[in-house]
């Protein structure tokens, strides 16, 4: 496996989930794979769970880890071709990338959407250059459009907590004070479509996700109807994907607090579990009583980020880099 961006990169999903459980049983059983190998983690944006879990996962596998925060202690990087670099950016990504590749065996990149240019974001312009020019396997630690390590951890968690063989999983939009990317809901939708679950997406009109991620999922604009009988409620805000009106891309179209997940919302479910990728804005996405309840699994979900990352890095190492 040379790149990890989407669920299909893992191949057989049931086999990947079984492998993740083996990794979880003994996180240090594969240290021979990473001996004398280096993971370079590059962050264009802030991180807590992604940074800690991925670094821990690589360490579990015996790897050396280098962490580079592009916005603190590195030259400011230009990302577009054909520009006259007479501003505050003193190095081009096209020179920086092969240099980075010369210092490591695997590169993991985190880069958010700018939310101003849909074409630029959905072309995965930044991480795509790492794939083309680094000469190294590239793992997405979140990109403009996807967050596969999070979605893999989400699925691992659902497998561990599901009360029935084929649970009903609902991805619900919730209000937020800032415009957020679609990466988490995109990947969650993609992975749930690949899993053996009854998957429903609910959101206000205007927040339709890209069809390539929605796939065959049922879209329900009535949140109450969507949540009825749910076993898992995954709450997440995202800004307008700009499908019907490109000018609305990245904008906040609704602040409707009726979509906030509270005890009443959870009462519509089948004793459902609450999920969120974190960090979460309490009082906007979810109320205190829900996220602190015994059916909130946000902490085990976050802990499984280590497992998803280790499983992925293990597979890259096993590919014979």
């Amino acid at each position: 496996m040379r790149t990890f961006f989407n669920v299909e990169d893992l191949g057989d999903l049931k086999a990947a989930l079984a492998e993740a459980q083996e990794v979880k049983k003994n996180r240090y059983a594969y240290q021979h794979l990473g001996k004398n190998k280096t993971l370079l983690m590059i962050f264009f944006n802030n991180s807590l769970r992604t940074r800690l879990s991925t670094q821990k996962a690589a360490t579990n596998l015996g790897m050396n880890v280098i962490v580079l925060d592009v916005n603190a202690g590195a030259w400011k990087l230009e990302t577009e071709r054909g520009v006259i670099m007479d501003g505050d950016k003193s190095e081009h990504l096209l020179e920086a990338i092969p240099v980075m590749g010369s210092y490591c065996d695997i590169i993991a990149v985190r880069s958010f959407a700018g939310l101003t240019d849909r074409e630029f974001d959905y072309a995965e312009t930044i991480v795509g250059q790492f794939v083309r020019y680094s000469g190294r396997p590239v793992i997405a630690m979140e990109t403009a459009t996807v967050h596969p390590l999070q979605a893999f951890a989400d699925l691992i968690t659902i497998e561990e907590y599901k009360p029935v063989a084929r649970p009903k999983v609902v991805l619900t939009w919730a209000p937020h004070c800032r415009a957020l990317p679609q990466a988490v809901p995109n990947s969650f939708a993609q992975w749930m479509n690949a899993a053996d679950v009854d998957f429903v997406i609910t959101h206000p009109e205007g927040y339709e996700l890209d069809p390539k991620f929605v796939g065959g999922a049922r879209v329900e604009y009535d949140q109450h109807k969507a949540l009825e009988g749910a076993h898992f409620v995954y709450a997440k805000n995202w800004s307008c994907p700009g499908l019907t009106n490109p000018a609305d891309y990245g904008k906040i179209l609704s602040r409707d607090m009726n979509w906030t997940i509270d005890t009443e919302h959870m009462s519509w479910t089948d004793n459902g579990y609450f999920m969120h990728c974190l960090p979460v804005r309490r009082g906007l996405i979810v109320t205190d009583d829900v996220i602190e309840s015994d059916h909130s699994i946000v902490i085990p979900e976050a802990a499984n980020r280590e497992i998803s990352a280790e499983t992925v890095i293990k597979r890259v190492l096993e590919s014979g880099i």
Side-chain angles (χ1 to χ4, degrees):
M1 187 168 69
R2 292 285 299 179
T3 60
F4 177 69
F5 288 84
N6 301 298
V7 64
E8 55 263 27
D9 294 330
L10 284 181
D12 187 305
L13 191 53
K14 288 185 177 179
L17 286 166
E19 185 174 345
Q21 289 306 317
E22 289 302 310
V23 166
K24 193 168 185 176
K25 289 176 184 177
N26 188 350
R27 301 166 204 228
Y28 307 104
Y30 308 97
Q31 291 194 342
H32 61 283
L33 294 173
K35 184 178 180 181
N36 297 328
K37 301 289 185 182
T38 299
L39 173 70
L40 173 59
M41 299 167 57
I42 302 167
F43 291 89
F44 287 85
N45 301 89
N46 295 334
S47 176
L48 189 152
R49 277 148 296 277
T50 297
R51 175 168 178 169
L52 295 178
S53 62
T54 309
Q55 186 167 354
K56 178 66 163 59
T59 304
N60 291 351
L61 290 164
M63 299 189 76
N64 302 311
V65 180
I66 302 172
V67 180
L68 175 64
D69 183 343
V70 171
N71 298 312
W75 298 113
K76 288 189 177 181
L77 296 175
E78 178 58 65
T79 61
E80 299 195 45
R81 307 177 80 106
V83 298
I84 297 174
M85 292 174 57
D86 58 356
D88 64 343
K89 296 176 180 178
S90 53
E91 184 161 11
H92 202 289
L93 203 60
L94 293 181
E95 285 78 63
I97 289 172
V99 169
M100 294 174 188
S102 70
Y103 301 144
C104 66
D105 300 281
I106 302 173
I107 295 179
V109 184
R110 180 178 175 98
S111 177
F112 286 0
L115 295 180
T116 57
D117 184 337
R118 190 182 196 280
E119 183 177 352
F120 182 89
D121 287 344
Y122 273 72
E124 293 291 8
T125 307
I126 293 177
V127 295
Q129 292 182 75
F130 279 92
V131 174
R132 287 191 294 273
Y133 303 118
S134 70
R136 302 298 182 191
V138 177
I139 295 171
M141 296 190 297
E142 187 168 4
T143 73
T145 67
V146 294
H147 197 347
L149 289 174
Q150 178 65 56
F152 190 14
D154 296 335
L155 183 54
I156 293 169
T157 308
I158 288 170
E159 284 293 304
E160 292 174 336
Y161 282 84
K162 65 182 184 182
V164 296
R166 191 170 188 270
K168 180 178 180 180
V169 180
V170 179
L171 169 63
T172 177
W173 179 92
H176 203 281
C177 55
R178 295 178 56 206
L180 298 182
Q182 299 98 45
V184 169
N186 281 346
S187 276
F188 188 75
Q190 183 186 56
W191 286 67
M192 291 305 108
N193 281 324
D196 187 18
V197 301
D198 175 15
F199 182 50
V200 180
I201 304 173
T202 184
H203 54 71
E205 292 192 23
Y207 282 93
E208 291 78 10
L209 297 170
D210 192 300
K212 70 180 180 181
F213 298 110
V214 174
R218 178 159 57 92
V219 178
E220 174 57 65
Y221 294 100
D222 183 332
Q223 189 190 32
H224 189 157
K225 185 176 180 181
L227 292 176
E228 288 179 344
H231 300 103
F232 296 92
V233 176
Y234 198 104
K236 184 69 180 77
N237 174 266
W238 61 90
S239 60
C240 176
L243 287 177
T244 55
N245 185 1
D248 286 337
Y249 175 63
K251 292 184 178 179
I252 297 174
L253 302 182
S254 174
R255 299 179 186 270
D256 188 352
M257 297 289 287
N258 290 317
W259 286 77
T260 300
I261 300 299
D262 58 16
T263 302
E264 181 182 359
H265 286 72
M266 296 303 294
S267 73
W268 304 334
T269 72
D270 185 2
N271 204 26
Y273 289 101
F274 175 80
M275 301 180 70
H276 190 278
C277 60
L278 302 181
V280 64
R281 298 266 186 160
R282 291 188 181 211
L284 288 175
I285 301 290
V286 61
T287 56
D288 289 342
D289 51 350
V290 171
I291 198 170
E292 293 175 8
S293 75
D294 58 4
H295 266 234
S296 170
I297 53 175
V298 297
I299 303 305
E301 180 185 0
N304 276 330
R305 290 292 306 277
E306 177 187 348
I307 307 307
S308 65
E310 185 169 348
T311 305
V312 168
I313 298 169
K314 172 179 174 288
R315 287 196 168 196
V316 175
L317 289 169
E318 288 174 335
S319 67
I321 61 172

